[in-house]
PDB file of all heavy atoms in Angstrom:
ATOM      1  N   SER B  19     145.907 -85.251 -21.883  1.00 91.00           N
ATOM      2  CA  SER B  19     146.481 -84.411 -22.952  1.00 91.00           C
ATOM      3  C   SER B  19     145.548 -84.215 -24.059  1.00 91.00           C
ATOM      4  O   SER B  19     145.252 -83.143 -24.552  1.00 91.00           O
ATOM      5  CB  SER B  19     147.820 -84.853 -23.431  1.00 91.00           C
ATOM      6  OG  SER B  19     148.264 -84.116 -24.478  1.00 91.00           O
ATOM      7  N   TYR B  20     144.945 -85.314 -24.416  1.00 91.00           N
ATOM      8  CA  TYR B  20     143.984 -85.320 -25.496  1.00 91.00           C
ATOM      9  C   TYR B  20     142.742 -84.453 -25.232  1.00 91.00           C
ATOM     10  O   TYR B  20     142.301 -83.575 -25.996  1.00 91.00           O
ATOM     11  CB  TYR B  20     143.583 -86.695 -25.996  1.00 91.00           C
ATOM     12  CG  TYR B  20     142.637 -86.753 -27.185  1.00 91.00           C
ATOM     13  CD1 TYR B  20     143.084 -86.524 -28.411  1.00 91.00           C
ATOM     14  CD2 TYR B  20     141.293 -87.020 -26.993  1.00 91.00           C
ATOM     15  CE1 TYR B  20     142.258 -86.595 -29.591  1.00 91.00           C
ATOM     16  CE2 TYR B  20     140.403 -87.137 -28.116  1.00 91.00           C
ATOM     17  CZ  TYR B  20     141.000 -86.855 -29.403  1.00 91.00           C
ATOM     18  OH  TYR B  20     139.999 -86.982 -30.499  1.00 91.00           O
ATOM     19  N   LEU B  21     142.263 -84.594 -24.023  1.00 94.00           N
ATOM     20  CA  LEU B  21     141.091 -83.872 -23.571  1.00 94.00           C
ATOM     21  C   LEU B  21     141.461 -82.248 -23.459  1.00 94.00           C
ATOM     22  O   LEU B  21     140.609 -81.438 -23.874  1.00 94.00           O
ATOM     23  CB  LEU B  21     140.679 -84.297 -22.250  1.00 94.00           C
ATOM     24  CG  LEU B  21     140.066 -85.774 -22.148  1.00 94.00           C
ATOM     25  CD1 LEU B  21     139.700 -86.146 -20.743  1.00 94.00           C
ATOM     26  CD2 LEU B  21     138.712 -85.630 -23.006  1.00 94.00           C
ATOM     27  N   ARG B  22     142.676 -82.048 -22.998  1.00 92.00           N
ATOM     28  CA  ARG B  22     142.976 -80.565 -23.040  1.00 92.00           C
ATOM     29  C   ARG B  22     142.990 -79.938 -24.371  1.00 92.00           C
ATOM     30  O   ARG B  22     142.650 -78.844 -24.584  1.00 92.00           O
ATOM     31  CB  ARG B  22     144.405 -80.330 -22.294  1.00 92.00           C
ATOM     32  CG  ARG B  22     144.468 -80.651 -20.812  1.00 92.00           C
ATOM     33  CD  ARG B  22     145.705 -80.044 -20.285  1.00 92.00           C
ATOM     34  NE  ARG B  22     146.857 -80.777 -20.717  1.00 92.00           N
ATOM     35  CZ  ARG B  22     147.304 -81.936 -20.141  1.00 92.00           C
ATOM     36  NH1 ARG B  22     146.712 -82.382 -19.070  1.00 92.00           N
ATOM     37  NH2 ARG B  22     148.381 -82.540 -20.582  1.00 92.00           N
ATOM     38  N   ARG B  23     143.597 -80.605 -25.346  1.00 89.00           N
ATOM     39  CA  ARG B  23     143.572 -80.189 -26.714  1.00 89.00           C
ATOM     40  C   ARG B  23     142.262 -80.043 -27.348  1.00 89.00           C
ATOM     41  O   ARG B  23     142.011 -79.087 -28.115  1.00 89.00           O
ATOM     42  CB  ARG B  23     144.586 -81.110 -27.555  1.00 89.00           C
ATOM     43  CG  ARG B  23     145.989 -80.960 -27.299  1.00 89.00           C
ATOM     44  CD  ARG B  23     146.791 -81.906 -28.220  1.00 89.00           C
ATOM     45  NE  ARG B  23     146.807 -83.219 -27.791  1.00 89.00           N
ATOM     46  CZ  ARG B  23     146.997 -84.262 -28.437  1.00 89.00           C
ATOM     47  NH1 ARG B  23     147.220 -84.242 -29.735  1.00 89.00           N
ATOM     48  NH2 ARG B  23     146.988 -85.562 -27.905  1.00 89.00           N
ATOM     49  N   MET B  24     141.389 -80.937 -26.917  1.00 91.00           N
ATOM     50  CA  MET B  24     139.913 -80.939 -27.428  1.00 91.00           C
ATOM     51  C   MET B  24     139.258 -79.775 -26.825  1.00 91.00           C
ATOM     52  O   MET B  24     138.538 -79.065 -27.639  1.00 91.00           O
ATOM     53  CB  MET B  24     139.272 -82.179 -27.048  1.00 91.00           C
ATOM     54  CG  MET B  24     139.669 -83.451 -27.767  1.00 91.00           C
ATOM     55  SD  MET B  24     139.201 -83.530 -29.428  1.00 91.00           S
ATOM     56  CE  MET B  24     137.463 -83.889 -29.199  1.00 91.00           C
ATOM     57  N   VAL B  25     139.616 -79.302 -25.674  1.00 92.00           N
ATOM     58  CA  VAL B  25     138.997 -78.149 -25.033  1.00 92.00           C
ATOM     59  C   VAL B  25     139.486 -76.955 -25.770  1.00 92.00           C
ATOM     60  O   VAL B  25     138.811 -76.012 -26.131  1.00 92.00           O
ATOM     61  CB  VAL B  25     139.241 -78.086 -23.579  1.00 92.00           C
ATOM     62  CG1 VAL B  25     138.769 -76.709 -22.967  1.00 92.00           C
ATOM     63  CG2 VAL B  25     138.449 -79.193 -22.889  1.00 92.00           C
ATOM     64  N   SER B  26     140.869 -76.925 -25.947  1.00 88.00           N
ATOM     65  CA  SER B  26     141.517 -75.733 -26.560  1.00 88.00           C
ATOM     66  C   SER B  26     140.949 -75.585 -27.995  1.00 88.00           C
ATOM     67  O   SER B  26     140.919 -74.378 -28.525  1.00 88.00           O
ATOM     68  CB  SER B  26     143.001 -75.925 -26.649  1.00 88.00           C
ATOM     69  OG  SER B  26     143.556 -75.889 -25.357  1.00 88.00           O
ATOM     70  N   ALA B  27     140.770 -76.520 -28.873  1.00 86.00           N
ATOM     71  CA  ALA B  27     140.229 -76.629 -30.162  1.00 86.00           C
ATOM     72  C   ALA B  27     138.835 -76.316 -30.204  1.00 86.00           C
ATOM     73  O   ALA B  27     138.196 -76.079 -31.319  1.00 86.00           O
ATOM     74  CB  ALA B  27     140.513 -77.886 -30.874  1.00 86.00           C
ATOM     75  N   GLY B  28     137.965 -76.271 -29.140  1.00 89.00           N
ATOM     76  CA  GLY B  28     136.631 -75.884 -29.165  1.00 89.00           C
ATOM     77  C   GLY B  28     135.754 -77.054 -29.303  1.00 89.00           C
ATOM     78  O   GLY B  28     134.497 -76.719 -29.573  1.00 89.00           O
ATOM     79  N   PHE B  29     136.169 -78.262 -29.158  1.00 92.00           N
ATOM     80  CA  PHE B  29     135.291 -79.513 -29.437  1.00 92.00           C
ATOM     81  C   PHE B  29     134.590 -79.889 -28.130  1.00 92.00           C
ATOM     82  O   PHE B  29     133.583 -80.632 -28.137  1.00 92.00           O
ATOM     83  CB  PHE B  29     136.062 -80.576 -29.964  1.00 92.00           C
ATOM     84  CG  PHE B  29     136.343 -80.436 -31.446  1.00 92.00           C
ATOM     85  CD1 PHE B  29     137.631 -79.874 -31.729  1.00 92.00           C
ATOM     86  CD2 PHE B  29     135.521 -80.751 -32.453  1.00 92.00           C
ATOM     87  CE1 PHE B  29     138.012 -79.612 -33.126  1.00 92.00           C
ATOM     88  CE2 PHE B  29     135.873 -80.488 -33.774  1.00 92.00           C
ATOM     89  CZ  PHE B  29     137.131 -80.010 -34.101  1.00 92.00           C
ATOM     90  N   LEU B  30     135.266 -79.629 -27.057  1.00 94.00           N
ATOM     91  CA  LEU B  30     134.670 -79.865 -25.587  1.00 94.00           C
ATOM     92  C   LEU B  30     134.708 -78.658 -24.813  1.00 94.00           C
ATOM     93  O   LEU B  30     135.439 -77.708 -25.007  1.00 94.00           O
ATOM     94  CB  LEU B  30     135.549 -81.010 -25.009  1.00 94.00           C
ATOM     95  CG  LEU B  30     135.766 -82.362 -25.607  1.00 94.00           C
ATOM     96  CD1 LEU B  30     136.658 -83.156 -24.768  1.00 94.00           C
ATOM     97  CD2 LEU B  30     134.513 -83.112 -25.781  1.00 94.00           C
ATOM     98  N   GLU B  31     133.940 -78.724 -23.672  1.00 95.00           N
ATOM     99  CA  GLU B  31     133.856 -77.821 -22.699  1.00 95.00           C
ATOM    100  C   GLU B  31     133.931 -78.481 -21.270  1.00 95.00           C
ATOM    101  O   GLU B  31     133.430 -79.554 -21.241  1.00 95.00           O
ATOM    102  CB  GLU B  31     132.783 -76.849 -22.856  1.00 95.00           C
ATOM    103  CG  GLU B  31     131.378 -77.424 -22.660  1.00 95.00           C
ATOM    104  CD  GLU B  31     130.241 -76.436 -22.846  1.00 95.00           C
ATOM    105  OE1 GLU B  31     130.580 -75.199 -22.953  1.00 95.00           O
ATOM    106  OE2 GLU B  31     129.089 -76.904 -22.661  1.00 95.00           O
ATOM    107  N   GLN B  32     134.624 -77.782 -20.403  1.00 95.00           N
ATOM    108  CA  GLN B  32     134.603 -78.312 -18.992  1.00 95.00           C
ATOM    109  C   GLN B  32     133.291 -77.995 -18.387  1.00 95.00           C
ATOM    110  O   GLN B  32     132.726 -76.935 -18.588  1.00 95.00           O
ATOM    111  CB  GLN B  32     135.780 -77.759 -18.224  1.00 95.00           C
ATOM    112  CG  GLN B  32     137.110 -78.189 -18.757  1.00 95.00           C
ATOM    113  CD  GLN B  32     138.255 -77.534 -18.069  1.00 95.00           C
ATOM    114  OE1 GLN B  32     138.159 -77.061 -16.955  1.00 95.00           O
ATOM    115  NE2 GLN B  32     139.455 -77.632 -18.633  1.00 95.00           N
ATOM    116  N   ASP B  33     132.749 -79.031 -17.542  1.00 94.00           N
ATOM    117  CA  ASP B  33     131.416 -78.833 -17.015  1.00 94.00           C
ATOM    118  C   ASP B  33     131.364 -79.314 -15.615  1.00 94.00           C
ATOM    119  O   ASP B  33     130.607 -80.427 -15.445  1.00 94.00           O
ATOM    120  CB  ASP B  33     130.370 -79.324 -17.963  1.00 94.00           C
ATOM    121  CG  ASP B  33     128.874 -79.001 -17.514  1.00 94.00           C
ATOM    122  OD1 ASP B  33     128.829 -78.110 -16.638  1.00 94.00           O
ATOM    123  OD2 ASP B  33     128.010 -79.569 -18.166  1.00 94.00           O
ATOM    124  N   GLY B  34     132.067 -78.775 -14.652  1.00 94.00           N
ATOM    125  CA  GLY B  34     131.896 -79.160 -13.304  1.00 94.00           C
ATOM    126  C   GLY B  34     132.925 -80.370 -12.945  1.00 94.00           C
ATOM    127  O   GLY B  34     133.635 -80.809 -13.790  1.00 94.00           O
ATOM    128  N   ARG B  35     132.620 -80.870 -11.662  1.00 94.00           N
ATOM    129  CA  ARG B  35     133.407 -81.983 -11.261  1.00 94.00           C
ATOM    130  C   ARG B  35     132.379 -82.958 -10.534  1.00 94.00           C
ATOM    131  O   ARG B  35     131.385 -82.607 -10.114  1.00 94.00           O
ATOM    132  CB  ARG B  35     134.498 -81.515 -10.287  1.00 94.00           C
ATOM    133  CG  ARG B  35     135.536 -80.536 -10.829  1.00 94.00           C
ATOM    134  CD  ARG B  35     136.443 -80.037  -9.803  1.00 94.00           C
ATOM    135  NE  ARG B  35     137.533 -81.160  -9.444  1.00 94.00           N
ATOM    136  CZ  ARG B  35     138.574 -81.256 -10.183  1.00 94.00           C
ATOM    137  NH1 ARG B  35     138.872 -80.440 -11.174  1.00 94.00           N
ATOM    138  NH2 ARG B  35     139.450 -82.158  -9.777  1.00 94.00           N
ATOM    139  N   GLU B  36     132.911 -84.252 -10.454  1.00 93.00           N
ATOM    140  CA  GLU B  36     132.111 -85.251  -9.847  1.00 93.00           C
ATOM    141  C   GLU B  36     132.752 -86.473  -9.514  1.00 93.00           C
ATOM    142  O   GLU B  36     133.878 -86.755 -10.083  1.00 93.00           O
ATOM    143  CB  GLU B  36     130.949 -85.760 -10.881  1.00 93.00           C
ATOM    144  CG  GLU B  36     129.815 -86.574 -10.321  1.00 93.00           C
ATOM    145  CD  GLU B  36     128.736 -86.744 -11.396  1.00 93.00           C
ATOM    146  OE1 GLU B  36     127.864 -86.003 -11.459  1.00 93.00           O
ATOM    147  OE2 GLU B  36     128.720 -87.825 -12.081  1.00 93.00           O
ATOM    148  N   TYR B  37     132.504 -87.093  -8.392  1.00 92.00           N
ATOM    149  CA  TYR B  37     133.228 -88.381  -7.904  1.00 92.00           C
ATOM    150  C   TYR B  37     132.882 -89.356  -8.763  1.00 92.00           C
ATOM    151  O   TYR B  37     131.837 -89.787  -9.320  1.00 92.00           O
ATOM    152  CB  TYR B  37     132.678 -88.726  -6.463  1.00 92.00           C
ATOM    153  CG  TYR B  37     133.305 -89.895  -6.029  1.00 92.00           C
ATOM    154  CD1 TYR B  37     134.702 -89.838  -5.448  1.00 92.00           C
ATOM    155  CD2 TYR B  37     132.805 -91.198  -5.990  1.00 92.00           C
ATOM    156  CE1 TYR B  37     135.340 -90.956  -4.850  1.00 92.00           C
ATOM    157  CE2 TYR B  37     133.421 -92.391  -5.553  1.00 92.00           C
ATOM    158  CZ  TYR B  37     134.709 -92.254  -4.979  1.00 92.00           C
ATOM    159  OH  TYR B  37     135.327 -93.401  -4.515  1.00 92.00           O
ATOM    160  N   ARG B  38     134.017 -90.173  -9.189  1.00 89.00           N
ATOM    161  CA  ARG B  38     133.991 -91.413 -10.126  1.00 89.00           C
ATOM    162  C   ARG B  38     134.501 -92.542  -9.284  1.00 89.00           C
ATOM    163  O   ARG B  38     135.678 -92.554  -8.832  1.00 89.00           O
ATOM    164  CB  ARG B  38     134.826 -91.146 -11.390  1.00 89.00           C
ATOM    165  CG  ARG B  38     134.144 -90.239 -12.412  1.00 89.00           C
ATOM    166  CD  ARG B  38     132.846 -90.808 -12.927  1.00 89.00           C
ATOM    167  NE  ARG B  38     132.281 -90.256 -14.105  1.00 89.00           N
ATOM    168  CZ  ARG B  38     131.228 -89.325 -14.149  1.00 89.00           C
ATOM    169  NH1 ARG B  38     130.650 -88.968 -12.921  1.00 89.00           N
ATOM    170  NH2 ARG B  38     130.836 -88.918 -15.298  1.00 89.00           N
ATOM    171  N   ALA B  39     133.737 -93.649  -9.314  1.00 86.00           N
ATOM    172  CA  ALA B  39     134.091 -94.846  -8.558  1.00 86.00           C
ATOM    173  C   ALA B  39     135.241 -95.476  -9.253  1.00 86.00           C
ATOM    174  O   ALA B  39     136.130 -96.102  -8.578  1.00 86.00           O
ATOM    175  CB  ALA B  39     132.903 -95.799  -8.377  1.00 86.00           C
ATOM    176  N   ALA B  40     135.428 -95.390 -10.558  1.00 83.00           N
ATOM    177  CA  ALA B  40     136.510 -96.061 -11.247  1.00 83.00           C
ATOM    178  C   ALA B  40     137.737 -95.519 -10.777  1.00 83.00           C
ATOM    179  O   ALA B  40     138.801 -96.379 -10.634  1.00 83.00           O
ATOM    180  CB  ALA B  40     136.335 -95.920 -12.691  1.00 83.00           C
ATOM    181  N   SER B  41     138.037 -94.226 -10.665  1.00 85.00           N
ATOM    182  CA  SER B  41     139.295 -93.693 -10.216  1.00 85.00           C
ATOM    183  C   SER B  41     139.277 -93.472  -8.655  1.00 85.00           C
ATOM    184  O   SER B  41     140.326 -93.146  -8.148  1.00 85.00           O
ATOM    185  CB  SER B  41     139.475 -92.346 -10.907  1.00 85.00           C
ATOM    186  OG  SER B  41     138.465 -91.487 -10.697  1.00 85.00           O
ATOM    187  N   GLN B  42     138.129 -93.531  -8.109  1.00 89.00           N
ATOM    188  CA  GLN B  42     137.993 -93.287  -6.618  1.00 89.00           C
ATOM    189  C   GLN B  42     138.475 -91.864  -6.229  1.00 89.00           C
ATOM    190  O   GLN B  42     139.041 -91.649  -5.197  1.00 89.00           O
ATOM    191  CB  GLN B  42     138.734 -94.309  -5.655  1.00 89.00           C
ATOM    192  CG  GLN B  42     138.193 -95.798  -5.993  1.00 89.00           C
ATOM    193  CD  GLN B  42     138.951 -96.792  -4.998  1.00 89.00           C
ATOM    194  OE1 GLN B  42     140.055 -96.604  -4.518  1.00 89.00           O
ATOM    195  NE2 GLN B  42     138.222 -97.882  -4.755  1.00 89.00           N
ATOM    196  N   LYS B  43     138.014 -90.965  -7.179  1.00 91.00           N
ATOM    197  CA  LYS B  43     138.323 -89.553  -6.870  1.00 91.00           C
ATOM    198  C   LYS B  43     137.351 -88.611  -7.618  1.00 91.00           C
ATOM    199  O   LYS B  43     136.704 -89.012  -8.571  1.00 91.00           O
ATOM    200  CB  LYS B  43     139.756 -89.222  -7.234  1.00 91.00           C
ATOM    201  CG  LYS B  43     140.050 -89.303  -8.713  1.00 91.00           C
ATOM    202  CD  LYS B  43     141.615 -89.001  -8.891  1.00 91.00           C
ATOM    203  CE  LYS B  43     141.895 -89.145 -10.413  1.00 91.00           C
ATOM    204  NZ  LYS B  43     143.329 -88.858 -10.632  1.00 91.00           N
ATOM    205  N   THR B  44     137.410 -87.400  -7.227  1.00 94.00           N
ATOM    206  CA  THR B  44     136.516 -86.369  -7.866  1.00 94.00           C
ATOM    207  C   THR B  44     137.217 -85.923  -9.172  1.00 94.00           C
ATOM    208  O   THR B  44     138.504 -85.537  -9.111  1.00 94.00           O
ATOM    209  CB  THR B  44     136.300 -85.152  -7.020  1.00 94.00           C
ATOM    210  OG1 THR B  44     135.531 -85.637  -5.813  1.00 94.00           O
ATOM    211  CG2 THR B  44     135.428 -84.082  -7.658  1.00 94.00           C
ATOM    212  N   GLU B  45     136.551 -86.015 -10.284  1.00 94.00           N
ATOM    213  CA  GLU B  45     137.186 -85.664 -11.610  1.00 94.00           C
ATOM    214  C   GLU B  45     136.567 -84.563 -12.326  1.00 94.00           C
ATOM    215  O   GLU B  45     135.291 -84.294 -12.035  1.00 94.00           O
ATOM    216  CB  GLU B  45     137.147 -87.014 -12.474  1.00 94.00           C
ATOM    217  CG  GLU B  45     138.007 -88.188 -12.098  1.00 94.00           C
ATOM    218  CD  GLU B  45     137.904 -89.156 -13.200  1.00 94.00           C
ATOM    219  OE1 GLU B  45     138.301 -88.933 -14.249  1.00 94.00           O
ATOM    220  OE2 GLU B  45     137.626 -90.364 -12.775  1.00 94.00           O
ATOM    221  N   ARG B  46     137.280 -83.958 -13.108  1.00 95.00           N
ATOM    222  CA  ARG B  46     136.662 -82.927 -14.080  1.00 95.00           C
ATOM    223  C   ARG B  46     135.724 -83.561 -15.029  1.00 95.00           C
ATOM    224  O   ARG B  46     136.145 -84.637 -15.553  1.00 95.00           O
ATOM    225  CB  ARG B  46     137.805 -82.114 -14.649  1.00 95.00           C
ATOM    226  CG  ARG B  46     137.191 -81.002 -15.559  1.00 95.00           C
ATOM    227  CD  ARG B  46     138.482 -80.230 -16.192  1.00 95.00           C
ATOM    228  NE  ARG B  46     139.088 -79.365 -15.061  1.00 95.00           N
ATOM    229  CZ  ARG B  46     140.391 -79.611 -14.647  1.00 95.00           C
ATOM    230  NH1 ARG B  46     141.070 -80.612 -15.203  1.00 95.00           N
ATOM    231  NH2 ARG B  46     140.910 -78.762 -13.759  1.00 95.00           N
ATOM    232  N   LEU B  47     134.524 -82.890 -15.393  1.00 96.00           N
ATOM    233  CA  LEU B  47     133.725 -83.608 -16.332  1.00 96.00           C
ATOM    234  C   LEU B  47     133.754 -82.619 -17.576  1.00 96.00           C
ATOM    235  O   LEU B  47     134.011 -81.471 -17.505  1.00 96.00           O
ATOM    236  CB  LEU B  47     132.276 -83.469 -15.714  1.00 96.00           C
ATOM    237  CG  LEU B  47     132.013 -84.320 -14.500  1.00 96.00           C
ATOM    238  CD1 LEU B  47     130.532 -84.257 -14.131  1.00 96.00           C
ATOM    239  CD2 LEU B  47     132.430 -85.815 -14.752  1.00 96.00           C
ATOM    240  N   TYR B  48     133.453 -83.299 -18.676  1.00 97.00           N
ATOM    241  CA  TYR B  48     133.362 -82.665 -19.956  1.00 97.00           C
ATOM    242  C   TYR B  48     132.035 -82.878 -20.729  1.00 97.00           C
ATOM    243  O   TYR B  48     131.413 -83.753 -20.392  1.00 97.00           O
ATOM    244  CB  TYR B  48     134.488 -83.188 -20.902  1.00 97.00           C
ATOM    245  CG  TYR B  48     135.970 -83.072 -20.202  1.00 97.00           C
ATOM    246  CD1 TYR B  48     136.456 -83.880 -19.286  1.00 97.00           C
ATOM    247  CD2 TYR B  48     136.741 -81.908 -20.541  1.00 97.00           C
ATOM    248  CE1 TYR B  48     137.764 -83.887 -18.782  1.00 97.00           C
ATOM    249  CE2 TYR B  48     137.942 -81.756 -19.998  1.00 97.00           C
ATOM    250  CZ  TYR B  48     138.472 -82.641 -19.178  1.00 97.00           C
ATOM    251  OH  TYR B  48     139.679 -82.477 -18.519  1.00 97.00           O
ATOM    252  N   ARG B  49     131.853 -82.011 -21.608  1.00 96.00           N
ATOM    253  CA  ARG B  49     130.684 -82.010 -22.445  1.00 96.00           C
ATOM    254  C   ARG B  49     131.025 -81.673 -23.874  1.00 96.00           C
ATOM    255  O   ARG B  49     131.779 -80.721 -24.171  1.00 96.00           O
ATOM    256  CB  ARG B  49     129.514 -81.018 -21.921  1.00 96.00           C
ATOM    257  CG  ARG B  49     128.110 -81.351 -22.498  1.00 96.00           C
ATOM    258  CD  ARG B  49     127.207 -80.240 -22.074  1.00 96.00           C
ATOM    259  NE  ARG B  49     127.057 -80.104 -20.659  1.00 96.00           N
ATOM    260  CZ  ARG B  49     126.200 -80.751 -19.944  1.00 96.00           C
ATOM    261  NH1 ARG B  49     125.392 -81.623 -20.497  1.00 96.00           N
ATOM    262  NH2 ARG B  49     126.052 -80.510 -18.617  1.00 96.00           N
ATOM    263  N   LEU B  50     130.384 -82.397 -24.862  1.00 95.00           N
ATOM    264  CA  LEU B  50     130.667 -82.163 -26.262  1.00 95.00           C
ATOM    265  C   LEU B  50     130.040 -80.766 -26.679  1.00 95.00           C
ATOM    266  O   LEU B  50     128.888 -80.548 -26.364  1.00 95.00           O
ATOM    267  CB  LEU B  50     130.106 -83.153 -27.127  1.00 95.00           C
ATOM    268  CG  LEU B  50     130.825 -84.431 -27.505  1.00 95.00           C
ATOM    269  CD1 LEU B  50     130.049 -85.489 -28.144  1.00 95.00           C
ATOM    270  CD2 LEU B  50     132.028 -84.057 -28.303  1.00 95.00           C
TER     271      LEU B  50
END
């Protein structure tokens, strides 16, 4: 929820997806 609000407020942008071992799944990536 925090990440979604950060994107909406213009502090973050979504930038692709990538596999993460910690969650063992492909996740959305963000950039400042």
